[in-house]
Amino acid sequence: MAKQNIHPEWHANAKVYCDGKHIMTIGSTKPELHVDIWSGNHPFFTGSQRILDTEGRVERFMRKYKLNSQENNDE
């Protein structure tokens, strides 16, 4: 049994905004939520994420462990 007058007010129809646009409606303890990133504009979910190879780290790893894409394809 829940104690009286100790729980925050629940807003069943809290609006979520990103860049001033209404994105979705959820349940929350706040009536409005303002977010910077959500699944609709995050690079991972939109498919625009790129792996940056700074200073040839991938090539160094491949050389260190003698992993060559041509050798692995021939086996």
Side-chain angles (χ1 to χ4, degrees):
M1 176 154 282
K3 292 185 178 181
Q4 296 296 322
N5 302 323
I6 65 165
H7 299 285
E9 182 180 345
W10 182 254
H11 301 277
N13 294 322
K15 293 180 176 28
V16 179
Y17 294 95
C18 183
D19 294 330
K21 297 178 188 172
H22 178 254
I23 303 300
M24 66 182 87
T25 303
I26 62 169
S28 176
T29 57
K30 296 186 177 191
E32 286 186 358
L33 299 167
H34 297 272
V35 297
D36 295 326
I37 295 177
W38 67 292
S39 61
N41 67 357
H42 191 279
F44 177 79
F45 295 106
T46 60
S48 62
Q49 181 179 23
R50 295 189 181 119
I51 298 174
L52 298 178
D53 181 20
T54 56
E55 301 175 12
R57 292 181 184 184
V58 172
E59 285 80 14
R60 272 191 302 175
F61 175 85
M62 298 296 267
R63 280 195 313 264
K64 180 178 179 180
Y65 294 103
K66 297 177 178 78
L67 299 173
N68 187 350
S69 60
Q70 290 178 342
E71 291 173 5
N72 291 336
N73 290 336
D74 292 339
E75 293 178 0

